[in-house]
Amino acid sequence: MRTQREVERKYEAAPDAQLPDLAGSAAEPRHETLDAVYYDTEDLRLIRGGLTLRRREGGADEGWHLKVPVGADTRDEIHLPLNGKDKPPKPFADLTLGYTRGAALQPVARITTERTVWELSGAELTDDRVTATRPDTEPMVWRELEVEGDPAVLDRAEEPLRQAGFQRSSLPSKLARALDTKPERHEPGKKAGETVLAYAAKQIEKIRYYDILVRQDVDDSVHQIRVATRRLRSALRVYRKVVTSGDLDAELQWLGKELSPARDLEVQSERLTKAVSELPVELAVGPVQAQLVRHFSPAQAQARKDVLRTLRSKRYLHLLDQLDSWLAAPPFTSKASRKAAKELPKHTSKAARKVGPRLDAGEVHRARKAAKRLRYGLEVLGSNKARKRAKAFTKLAGEYQDSVVALPLLRTLGMQENGFTFGLLYGREETNAARIRGTIRWG
């Protein structure tokens, strides 16, 4: 299985529209015939999430393709070779589990493309004549252009194509056009409820996206899905009097706890490995790095198995169902219809008042959690000074917490072997925690 990132723009035009001259085009194009069968659930859960799954014959990259949206004009294409079967490969069924929740993947459309390809300097231009068929419907026929490659080249091609009569497509894929289905989006509005809902929808989308990356064991993916979970839970707690969340708070807390061990091991492994690498050679006495590997590798391998077990569990899949239902029918309160600019700051002000007392009581970790909740609540309102202050506080408090967590681990490692080096690191972490504890302030 291999993954490549593609930056691509699609254009629509009349069948007889003439292509403009584009700098760097090859003298002779190549021609391809592509035959693709697209798969989705009966209620189109993949395409509604922006994903497409197909089995394509013809062309240089024939095979099974799963396309996952990353950002504007950008998608990751995950590729598996043809396997002689017309059923999606098991790895793709697993990668899309967060979307399908186990619902059967079945053919939903067949798309045949007569393609002409020009190689540009830094990009590729394809002129496609498309025929799409769905069960029990008449074929659809249209023409579209795709320009894929360097974003700077795509920008330069935009104006010549527009002047020649080619307009940007309003749909992200051929399948979306064939099914007349757009990915679901929630845009922020002027009302409090709309603004909170748009932010929550964005975090739910990120949970699903990083779910796929976690299943691929992509670096930092566990961290990112955990952050999206925390952002969502924080927003729902800060604005719980704008839109209620029912059981979601407890279930999101459960998911965060299930992901925590893997992330905590990752943080400490990176922190201590870096600390040892920065020591002068004469202070790294003994095979210190090897000891770190022996300590962390088995635990991290087990933590990954635990994370995957969580993402395949009925409880997690049910949580995703609950999030879908919540988005489809958000339980707004009477405050949701008020103007966001006036209503939402009242709730962040209340959240802000919970940080200082906890820090004054010496509870740095609890103050940090309250500040994170405030920070993510403020993100709903966009960039502002209060959010930046909360971010700076949580970063410093996080550094304190990392030192505190490292201390017992360094003590244990130092009692096994290489005691001099781990004792030195213990002293540094202890000093760092004391320094932060003595200087950290809120407000």
Side-chain angles (χ1 to χ4, degrees):
M1 186 161 56
R2 59 180 172 83
T3 302
Q4 64 182 35
R5 179 153 295 180
E6 59 180 29
V7 181
E8 176 185 88
R9 296 178 188 173
K10 293 180 178 291
Y11 299 84
E12 300 173 356
D16 58 351
Q18 297 298 307
L19 283 171
D21 291 330
L22 296 174
S25 61
E28 293 296 330
R30 71 176 188 271
H31 302 278
E32 300 174 337
T33 298
L34 311 174
D35 186 12
V37 176
Y38 287 79
Y39 292 77
D40 207 329
T41 62
E42 184 178 6
D43 55 355
L44 306 180
R45 297 180 185 183
L46 295 186
I47 192 64
R48 287 193 286 111
L51 280 68
T52 57
L53 172 58
R54 72 187 178 204
R55 181 188 186 277
R56 189 168 79 182
E57 296 181 351
D61 66 339
E62 70 174 9
W64 288 94
H65 304 147
L66 176 64
K67 293 196 175 189
V68 183
V70 176
D73 303 325
T74 306
R75 294 182 295 180
D76 281 342
E77 180 177 288
I78 308 170
H79 181 276
L80 282 171
L82 293 176
N83 55 3
K85 300 179 180 179
D86 59 3
K87 183 179 180 180
K90 190 176 183 304
F92 279 178
D94 182 62
L95 287 182
T96 58
L97 186 60
Y99 290 82
T100 66
R101 324 283 158 72
L105 290 166
Q106 59 190 32
V108 293
R110 181 173 185 173
I111 297 179
T112 302
T113 304
E114 295 296 331
R115 170 169 289 180
T116 304
V117 185
W118 285 268
E119 297 294 339
L120 308 179
S121 178
E124 185 177 82
L125 170 67
T126 63
D127 187 352
D128 291 343
R129 310 290 172 140
V130 184
T131 302
T133 57
R134 296 166 52 190
D136 303 322
T137 62
E138 292 296 318
M140 297 173 59
V141 179
W142 72 89
R143 179 190 182 193
E144 71 177 41
L145 260 62
E146 296 178 357
V147 188
E148 178 183 342
D150 185 342
V153 178
L154 272 58
D155 288 342
R156 290 195 296 269
E158 186 86 21
E159 183 60 19
L161 288 170
R162 188 188 65 80
Q163 291 185 358
F166 294 87
Q167 302 298 324
R168 289 287 294 271
S169 175
S170 61
L171 295 168
S173 66
K174 293 179 175 66
L175 181 63
R177 181 164 182 171
L179 299 177
D180 191 25
T181 302
K182 288 185 178 182
E184 296 174 341
R185 294 290 182 267
H186 295 268
E187 299 298 332
K190 294 183 179 181
K191 296 180 179 180
E194 295 170 341
T195 302
V196 175
L197 187 68
Y199 180 85
K202 184 177 180 181
Q203 304 314 315
I204 293 170
E205 184 179 348
K206 286 184 177 181
I207 289 172
R208 294 195 188 108
Y209 171 69
Y210 287 110
D211 172 301
I212 292 178
L213 299 192
V214 170
R215 295 173 193 273
Q216 293 178 277
D217 200 18
V218 174
D219 286 347
D220 202 44
S221 55
V222 173
H223 175 216
Q224 293 302 329
I225 192 174
R226 188 169 173 236
V227 168
T229 301
R230 183 179 291 152
R231 278 188 161 104
L232 175 59
R233 183 171 178 241
S234 295
L236 295 182
R237 294 192 72 183
V238 171
Y239 301 111
R240 62 186 178 276
K241 292 187 178 181
V242 174
V243 54
T244 60
S245 59
D247 295 335
L248 288 179
D249 182 80
E251 291 305 289
L252 290 169
Q253 183 181 36
W254 164 78
L255 178 58
K257 287 182 177 179
E258 292 295 305
L259 299 173
S260 290
R263 175 55 183 165
D264 293 344
L265 284 167
E266 183 179 55
V267 169
Q268 287 299 317
S269 176
E270 292 176 357
R271 182 181 184 87
L272 297 186
T273 299
K274 183 174 183 289
V276 171
S277 69
E278 292 175 347
L279 287 175
V281 176
E282 64 272 16
L283 298 182
V285 180
V288 184
Q289 293 286 19
Q291 187 180 352
L292 290 177
V293 171
R294 290 198 304 273
H295 176 82
F296 282 109
S297 290
Q300 287 180 299
Q302 182 59 50
R304 169 162 174 76
K305 290 180 181 178
D306 293 341
V307 167
L308 292 176
R309 187 180 300 111
T310 296
L311 297 189
R312 292 169 182 149
S313 70
K314 291 181 179 179
R315 185 171 181 177
Y316 171 71
L317 298 179
H318 179 61
L319 169 59
L320 296 180
D321 284 337
Q322 289 177 287
L323 292 173
D324 281 351
S325 298
W326 184 87
L327 280 177
F332 289 134
T333 71
S334 59
K335 296 180 180 181
S337 60
R338 298 176 182 176
K339 291 183 179 180
K342 290 186 176 180
E343 178 62 28
L344 298 185
K346 299 175 184 178
H347 302 267
T348 55
S349 295
K350 184 176 180 180
R353 291 194 292 270
K354 296 182 179 180
V355 182
R358 289 171 178 168
L359 183 62
D360 293 341
E363 299 175 340
V364 178
H365 185 49
R366 291 189 66 192
R368 176 194 176 213
K369 291 197 294 184
K372 273 197 172 184
R373 188 177 308 125
L374 169 64
R375 170 188 166 187
Y376 296 143
L378 289 166
E379 281 186 349
V380 177
L381 302 174
S383 180
N384 52 62
K385 290 182 179 179
R387 183 187 65 81
K388 292 178 181 178
R389 185 181 68 181
K391 182 178 180 179
F393 178 87
T394 57
K395 183 178 180 180
L396 186 60
E399 174 70 16
Y400 169 84
Q401 183 66 16
D402 289 343
S403 286
V404 169
V405 171
L407 289 174
L409 174 58
L410 287 168
R411 186 186 303 113
T412 298
L413 291 170
M415 293 176 67
Q416 296 171 0
E417 56 181 302
N418 309 309
F420 173 83
T421 299
F422 286 118
L424 177 63
L425 294 179
Y426 182 98
R428 290 187 176 187
E429 294 287 8
E430 190 175 45
T431 300
N432 187 55
R435 176 187 61 80
I436 295 173
R437 183 68 190 85
T439 58
I440 192 169
R441 297 288 183 272
W442 175 257

